[in-house]
Structure formats: C-alpha cells, structure tokens
Amino acid sequence: MNYAISTDEFERLRSLVYQECGISLDEHKSPLIVSRLSTRLRALDLDGFGAYYDLVAQDPDGEEFTRMLDLISTNKTDFFREPKHFEFLRDQILPSLKRDKRVRIWSSACSSGEEPYTIAMALFDGAADPDQWDFRILASDLSTRVLAKAASGLYDEERVRSLPSEVVRRHFLKGKGSHAGMIRVRPHLAAMIAFRRMNLMDDRFPITSPLDVIFCRNVMIYFDRPTQERLVNKFYRYLKPGGYLFIGHSESLQWIHHSFTQVLPTIYRKEG
Ligand SMILES: C[S@@+](CC[C@H](N)C(=O)[O-])C[C@H]1O[C@@H](n2cnc3c(N)ncnc32)[C@H](O)[C@@H]1O
C-alpha cells in the first residue's frame, strides 16, 4: 500500500513528537515523514497515518514510539566524534580534579554508547593511576533500542577501524568464532558507566550529586529555541560551579539566554 498523510494527521503527529521529546519537525517535511514511516505502517498492516497516530499516542513511553523516534531522527554517532572535547576533558578537566580523584559526567543523549565509552577511555588513559579514581559516567537516551545496544558494549569491528591499534587493544576485546568481526568494550570501561532511559524534556532528572561535565551533543539541533533554552538552563543547575557543558559542533548557545561562560566554540563553563 502507498500511504499519504493529511495536513491534520501530520499536525497531530508533529505536535505529539514535540510534546513528548521536544523534536521540532519542519512543517514542510511531511513527505519525508511519509517516506520514513511507510515501511513501519506496512509492517503493522495499518490502513493509514490516523491509525498509526492512535497507536503511538496511546503509549508515548512504549516501544512503538521509540521506533518512530528512531525513524524520524538520527542516532548517528562515533567513537571519538569531535575529538577536541575528549582532549579537553583529558588535558584540562581531569588534572583539575586530581585532589579528590572523583569525576561525575553525564552523556545526556548517548545514542548507541560510543560517546560515553569514549569519555571512559579519555578518563582511563588520562589518569596515571585510574584504579585510584572514582569515575562515574551516567549515559542516557530516550530510545530504548539504542540504549540496549550501548549497554551490550558490542560493536562491529569497522567502528574502531580509524582508532590507533594500541587504543583498540587496550579497551576492546576481539570477537572469535560466532563473534568474529565484532569487538566488545573491556570490563574496566563498562564498569564506569550506568545506562538509563531519560527524556531531556523532563522537568527534573534523577541526578543527586552535582556534575563535573555534561555532554549534550548533536541533539539540540532538533529542538526549537525555547526548548533549547529550557534545557540549557536545567543543565546549569545540575553542574558544579566550575563544571562544563559540551555541545555539538553545529550547535550554538548564541541565541539563547543562559549563564554559562564560553570557553571554546562548543565548550561552556559554569563559573564559580
Ligand atoms: C545524533 S544522536 C547524538 C549521539 C551523540 N551525543 C553524538 O554526538 O555522537 C541524538 C540522540 O538524541 C536522542 N534524543 C532525541 N530526543 C531526545 C530526548 N528528548 N531525550 C533524550 N534523548 C533524545 C536520540 O534518540 C539520539 O540517540
């Protein structure tokens, strides 16, 4: 079956997505939505977008909503994506925390895990005595599908092809037999990370101790300005004085009201 979406159906879907996860779908993008979701409607044997809306709207925390989100947004990520952030973490932030040897970091839209595992590698390799440090990384995303992949720590070997071989050897195990062609994150990295589902639109986050760094990269581009502003000001509250916020290379806080000081183009600091 070939599907079409009416203006009313598109508007209802658009406002549901905005309300639940802050993603602002462009009003001219209805053909894109039709092409991305049609296969799903076909698989579910639905007769149109009205029925699909009813299905996702009845359970916005459910699996179908996650699938829809995965189809309309991107989960694209990489190990050491935007490497300057990890160098800054290792060379500037880590040394400044060496008195207490306690580091709390939140990777707030972690997708399939490459970002939090890279944070873990930067911390582990940056500390001369990693066993003496208390490293804790909270890694969260809205999509349960990507979180399951992240928590498995299992990746296609291709994903680390561009990393130096000693980094791969130190932090990954090579799959054998039925796992040939795959690599698994070593336990010393996995032990540093807790994965959980969290929605950046929530008013409060289940975070009790103030954070040293928040990574929120390559997700704010989907949010409109008021949503970005609310989120950035929430982040401010969860950081320690002196803590940092890292955003994606194509994102900027230029047009929103906030109290951070810019340190580098995509690195912001809560003064204190
Ligand atoms: C492009 S990925 C970014 C991954 C990683 N931060 C990076 O820069 O490589 C964007 C992620 O944001 C997640 N996301 C979208 N809306 C969200 C929300 N409201 N709350 C939490 N995560 C969300 C998506 O599921 C997706 O995994």
Side-chain angles (χ1 to χ4, degrees):
M1 190 191 295
N2 282 332
Y3 294 100
I5 192 165
S6 69
T7 312
D8 175 57
E9 285 166 345
F10 180 64
E11 277 312 314
R12 284 198 296 152
L13 205 57
R14 197 160 89 96
S15 95
L16 178 70
V17 168
Y18 181 70
Q19 213 176 297
E20 295 299 328
C21 56
I23 294 179
S24 233
L25 294 175
D26 189 323
E27 53 192 308
H28 308 296
K29 292 274 170 69
S30 69
L32 187 76
I33 295 302
V34 172
S35 80
R36 293 202 173 160
L37 294 180
S38 285
T39 316
R40 192 67 202 132
L41 268 69
R42 225 166 274 133
L44 292 165
D45 202 18
L46 296 176
D47 62 7
F49 276 93
Y52 191 64
Y53 173 85
D54 292 343
L55 185 67
V56 286
Q58 76 185 12
D59 188 9
D61 285 331
E63 198 199 326
E64 193 54 43
F65 196 95
T66 294
R67 275 179 179 255
M68 177 180 73
L69 178 71
D70 287 341
L71 290 167
I72 61 182
S73 68
T74 165
N75 303 116
K76 186 186 154 1
T77 186
D78 258 318
F79 289 106
F80 290 94
R81 181 181 195 183
E82 299 166 31
K84 289 226 160 356
H85 286 157
F86 305 102
E87 288 160 21
F88 190 89
L89 174 64
R90 188 194 59 207
D91 301 340
Q92 308 289 327
I93 302 178
L94 192 63
S96 74
L97 300 172
K98 70 170 185 278
R99 202 191 57 181
D100 293 339
K101 298 197 169 181
R102 185 178 187 276
V103 187
R104 296 290 179 266
I105 299 186
W106 181 21
S107 166
S108 71
C110 71
S111 188
S112 39
E114 287 84 339
E115 181 177 280
Y117 287 124
T118 306
I119 296 171
M121 287 187 251
L123 296 175
F124 193 91
D125 291 345
D129 48 355
D131 297 344
Q132 304 301 309
W133 286 69
D134 176 10
F135 292 131
R136 264 189 238 167
I137 302 161
L138 168 66
S140 67
D141 200 280
L142 186 56
S143 166
T144 43
R145 191 186 58 87
V146 289
L147 278 175
K149 162 96 185 143
S152 77
L154 202 58
Y155 297 93
D156 202 298
E157 212 170 353
E158 269 311 305
R159 307 283 298 145
V160 295
R161 187 78 71 205
S162 61
L163 305 191
S165 53
E166 72 275 11
V167 171
V168 178
R169 261 199 309 277
R170 192 157 56 244
H171 297 302
F172 295 90
L173 294 159
K174 244 171 158 349
K176 293 195 187 109
S178 63
H179 282 103
M182 306 288 283
I183 42 125
R184 187 191 289 280
V185 167
R186 285 188 187 263
H188 66 269
L189 294 188
M192 291 160 70
I193 307 174
F195 290 100
R196 73 185 285 175
R197 181 177 193 254
M198 280 162 64
N199 187 342
L200 291 171
M201 295 305 106
D202 288 347
D203 290 335
R204 285 200 186 82
F205 303 120
I207 294 172
T208 45
S209 63
L211 298 161
D212 297 294
V213 188
I214 297 176
F215 282 71
C216 184
R217 308 189 311 159
N218 305 302
V219 63
M220 277 199 285
I221 32 164
Y222 297 112
F223 302 158
D224 62 10
R225 217 174 279 168
T227 308
Q228 292 177 352
E229 187 164 301
R230 270 195 308 278
L231 181 59
V232 164
N233 286 297
K234 269 188 285 181
F235 284 152
Y236 193 85
R237 296 205 299 273
Y238 286 89
L239 281 169
K240 279 183 195 163
Y244 291 88
L245 171 65
F246 290 0
I247 64 172
H249 66 290
S250 56
E251 297 164 328
S252 161
L253 306 188
Q254 200 181 350
W255 308 109
I256 65 176
H257 295 289
H258 63 81
S259 310
F260 284 99
T261 305
Q262 189 170 26
V263 180
L264 285 172
T266 54
I267 301 182
Y268 293 81
R269 185 163 196 253
K270 174 174 176 171
E271 291 302 338

